[in-house]
Amino acid sequence: YDMICRADTIGVFQIESRAQMSMLPRLRPRAFYDLVIEVAIVRPGPIQGDMVHPYLRRRQGLEQVRYPSKELEEVLGKTLGVPLFQEQAMKIAIVAAGFTPSEADKLRRAMATFKRVGTIHTFRIKMIEGMAARGYDRAFAERCFAQIEGFGTYGFPESHAASFALLVYASCWFKCRYPDVFACALLNSQPMGFYAPAQIVRDAREHGTCVREVDVNESDWDCTLENAQGHERRIVRRHGEQAPHIRANHAVRLGFRMISGVRESDMRKLVELRGRGYDSVRDVWLRTGLSPAVLEKLSGADAFRSIGLDRRQALWAVRGLNRAGDKDDLALWRHVSLNEIEPDAHLPSMPLGEHVVEDYRSLSLSLKAHPVSFLRNILAQRRFVRSADLACLKGKKPRITIAGLVLVRQRPGSARGVVFMTLEDEAGVANAIIWPDVFEANRAIVIGARFVAITGWVQNEAGVVHVVAEKLEDLSSMLGLLSMQGGNLSSLARADEVRRPQTRDPREVGNMREPVAVMPKGRNFH
């Protein structure tokens, strides 16, 4: 529950969305029924019915809980006088408005139908007049029906919320105690959830889990667990409270399923014929009969490190294989020792930034470095703030600029045009609120940019930190610098030139644009 209260819930069923993560530190679940309420309250129905803030105020002791009658206290006692579930709405209709059970069931059916085609409005007069006739204040009756009417935009039955809450608790139990098992299972279940594999891997590493690269001698098709002996667990400071409870003792080995464009049948064949291991690219080729095109995919994923080859050296070795494709050609090589080493070639070393770009091209993530880390010197010169530093800022509504890769864009129907954007830099994630007028002024950037700078003021409520956007800037072109540099970039000049590429050699401009295309586009939700 401590983990849930600090919204450490990436990958957790139902409570990993931005809205749920914003609610968790406010509601602060401490018991199972709190999770039932958490699941139900972040829904269009309770939001549209103005149930969320009254419940939070009462839970936090900012508003006194009052019940207009003993009957309604019995119905609404567990939810502090606020109707959050469809069953409660039915009971209110029966005990306070004189509905028969049959009529209450018709009300339930109306609540279960979306507002645009629903009939819940037809119960308004009967509900309000029935409550007024039984001595309830008319204003209270109207407010009560308005809350119930909100269910027409989607609300939960209590039984449904309880079933979901059980899965929430089970998922959180695994994430808290066995983050290695949890991350491995999530990666093998993709695509699913709000977050891409890169964020699942980052989160696992922040919780002390060792994650290892894809390798021809170590990986299976699925991601697997390996002995983590010799790995020193490093838990990011913000998750430090969890350290005594973590029982994980495995490393996660990324599987071949992570590589874009490879077939499961080919990779299972590679694993089946591996024996005690491969000792060269040619060895893999001869034993498996896989085409050079498949081996190029493996070299592109940097999967030959265990035989001493980085991706460039491995690609050189693959390109040197006989390409005729005839089975007789393979037979000609049977006499070659499997221990033969690939011919030496003095290839220029690949810059680390280019390795990261190629990792994203093949795997959609990199274990070597975060793309934004290479640009931090430039961002620091412009006084951009790292995501991890937002919570430490002092002063009333400090105005700052952050920058990061776009992970998630959300524009819920219940948010009246507000867009919620999640950015990631090398230090973590930052969440931004983009009001409709700001969105319209920056529509192309919000929808299409992959690397964004957001200027605005910091909102910190109950430990929930957002940047309320005032201005956005598309920095995607800066990502093109990654393939040209191996270390941190230290000058603004090159970044300025990226914005005016016509002044550069066309071939170089093409090389700089290309890394932008392989960076994540971000996931969109409504």
Side-chain angles (χ1 to χ4, degrees):
Y1 285 107
D2 291 340
M3 182 189 79
I4 294 170
C5 286
R6 62 176 179 267
D8 180 12
T9 55
I10 286 179
V12 175
F13 176 78
Q14 281 293 304
I15 59 172
E16 68 168 357
S17 72
R18 187 66 249 143
Q20 290 281 5
M21 282 182 158
S22 296
M23 181 64 67
L24 291 169
R26 296 185 175 107
L27 194 144
R28 298 193 64 79
R30 303 306 307 176
F32 178 75
Y33 197 76
D34 293 342
L35 295 180
V36 178
I37 291 173
E38 173 71 38
V39 166
I41 202 169
V42 186
R43 302 291 160 188
I47 293 171
Q48 296 284 11
D50 192 28
M51 306 172 197
V52 177
H53 293 295
Y55 179 83
L56 287 177
R57 287 195 297 269
R58 295 176 187 188
R59 184 175 176 87
Q60 295 167 357
L62 302 177
E63 179 179 303
Q64 188 174 356
V65 181
R66 291 191 178 93
Y67 301 98
S69 69
K70 185 65 176 177
E71 292 82 1
L72 286 185
E73 183 177 359
E74 293 178 0
V75 174
L76 301 174
K78 291 195 294 184
T79 55
L80 306 182
V82 180
L84 296 179
F85 303 108
Q86 290 182 2
E87 293 93 334
Q88 290 177 310
M90 294 172 65
K91 291 177 182 177
I92 291 172
I94 293 172
V95 304
F99 278 50
T100 65
S102 176
E103 290 171 328
D105 188 60
K106 292 179 181 178
L107 176 65
R108 177 194 63 79
R109 293 173 183 271
M111 288 188 293
T113 307
F114 283 106
K115 191 173 185 179
R116 62 179 177 271
V117 294
T119 58
I120 194 169
H121 61 279
T122 62
F123 294 88
R124 178 181 178 84
I125 294 176
K126 180 174 178 59
M127 182 85 172
I128 294 174
E129 295 301 326
M131 292 182 70
R134 283 162 179 76
Y136 290 97
D137 180 76
R138 185 173 293 273
F140 169 77
E142 291 178 351
R143 188 166 65 253
C144 191
F145 183 80
Q147 290 179 320
I148 293 173
E149 195 175 25
F151 284 112
T153 20
Y154 190 54
F156 263 23
E158 185 180 25
S159 55
H160 192 162
S163 299
F164 275 25
L166 182 60
L167 296 177
V168 168
Y169 183 86
S171 301
C172 288
W173 189 92
F174 272 108
K175 180 178 173 67
C176 177
R177 290 168 171 76
Y178 297 96
D180 50 354
V181 177
F182 187 72
C184 188
L186 286 178
L187 291 172
N188 289 336
S189 301
Q190 293 296 308
M192 63 174 288
F194 275 79
Y195 300 95
Q199 285 73 61
I200 295 170
V201 166
R202 177 186 58 77
D203 185 65
R205 296 173 87 183
E206 288 183 352
H207 287 81
T209 297
C210 174
V211 182
R212 295 169 178 167
E213 295 184 327
V214 180
D215 191 273
V216 292
N217 281 321
E218 304 293 343
S219 294
D220 205 331
W221 170 252
D222 284 329
C223 299
T224 53
L225 297 173
E226 298 180 346
N227 192 319
Q229 187 175 3
H231 169 69
E232 181 183 353
R233 181 182 295 154
R234 291 184 177 87
I235 299 177
V236 171
R237 183 180 59 190
R238 60 179 172 271
H239 305 312
E241 298 173 18
Q242 191 174 331
H245 306 285
I246 295 178
R247 304 171 188 170
N249 56 5
H250 291 91
V252 176
R253 172 69 67 178
L254 297 183
F256 294 118
R257 64 161 48 244
M258 305 296 294
I259 304 176
S260 176
V262 297
R263 293 189 301 181
E264 181 177 355
S265 57
D266 287 341
M267 296 302 100
R268 292 203 180 279
K269 182 177 182 181
L270 183 149
V271 173
E272 181 183 355
L273 298 175
R274 185 159 58 198
R276 295 184 178 179
Y278 300 106
D279 58 19
S280 69
V281 171
R282 179 174 292 149
D283 185 11
V284 178
W285 180 56
L286 292 175
R287 270 203 256 174
T288 65
L290 296 176
S291 69
V294 174
L295 299 183
E296 283 194 16
K297 293 285 187 183
L298 292 172
S299 63
D302 209 7
F304 288 95
R305 292 274 179 171
S306 63
I307 59 177
L309 302 177
D310 70 9
R311 59 168 36 94
R312 179 172 284 175
Q313 294 166 328
L315 182 59
W316 177 271
V318 172
R319 295 280 173 86
L321 298 175
N322 188 305
R323 295 250 180 171
D326 194 303
K327 292 182 179 179
D328 293 336
D329 293 318
L330 283 178
L332 292 175
W333 294 99
R334 298 294 181 195
H335 70 282
V336 178
S337 170
L338 296 181
N339 294 318
E340 181 177 342
I341 300 174
E342 304 294 342
D344 289 335
H346 298 289
L347 301 174
S349 60
M350 181 180 284
L352 180 58
E354 189 172 355
H355 268 299
V356 170
V357 170
E358 294 304 315
D359 282 344
Y360 271 86
R361 185 197 313 281
S362 295
L363 304 164
S364 299
L365 60 89
S366 178
L367 301 180
K368 299 178 177 70
H370 192 279
V372 179
S373 66
F374 298 96
L375 306 171
R376 179 51 59 187
N377 285 341
I378 295 176
L379 301 177
Q381 288 179 31
R382 296 181 61 180
R383 299 185 178 181
F384 286 14
V385 176
R386 297 190 320 154
S387 61
D389 299 328
L390 290 176
C392 303
L393 295 176
K394 305 296 183 183
K396 188 176 181 180
K397 294 184 178 180
R399 193 171 185 273
I400 54 89
T401 301
I402 57 170
L405 300 178
V406 179
L407 299 186
V408 177
R409 304 175 190 86
Q410 289 178 265
R411 197 183 187 190
S414 58
R416 301 174 184 175
V418 178
V419 175
F420 301 93
M421 182 180 283
T422 301
L423 305 183
E424 180 187 59
D425 62 13
E426 76 277 22
V429 297
N431 298 289
I433 298 173
I434 305 172
W435 293 105
D437 57 335
V438 178
F439 170 66
E440 292 302 331
N442 299 272
R443 177 182 287 268
I445 297 176
V446 174
I447 294 175
R450 304 193 181 195
F451 183 40
V452 171
I454 297 180
T455 299
W457 53 273
V458 178
Q459 179 188 79
N460 190 337
E461 296 181 3
V464 180
V465 181
H466 288 98
V467 176
V468 181
E470 297 174 346
K471 184 178 72 172
L472 287 87
E473 181 181 358
D474 186 353
L475 301 181
S476 300
S477 56
M478 289 176 64
L479 296 172
L481 297 171
L482 297 183
S483 63
M484 302 171 63
Q485 298 288 338
N488 287 333
L489 304 172
S490 59
S491 170
L492 280 172
R494 296 297 293 273
D496 289 340
E497 290 175 11
V498 175
R499 297 177 187 172
R500 295 181 289 276
Q502 67 273 15
T503 63
R504 304 186 63 84
D505 184 309
R507 291 170 296 181
E508 189 173 354
V509 171
N511 290 336
M512 294 174 73
R513 286 176 179 165
E514 210 275 336
V516 179
V518 305
M519 289 296 126
K521 296 179 180 179
R523 295 186 170 187
N524 299 325
F525 297 92
H526 296 284

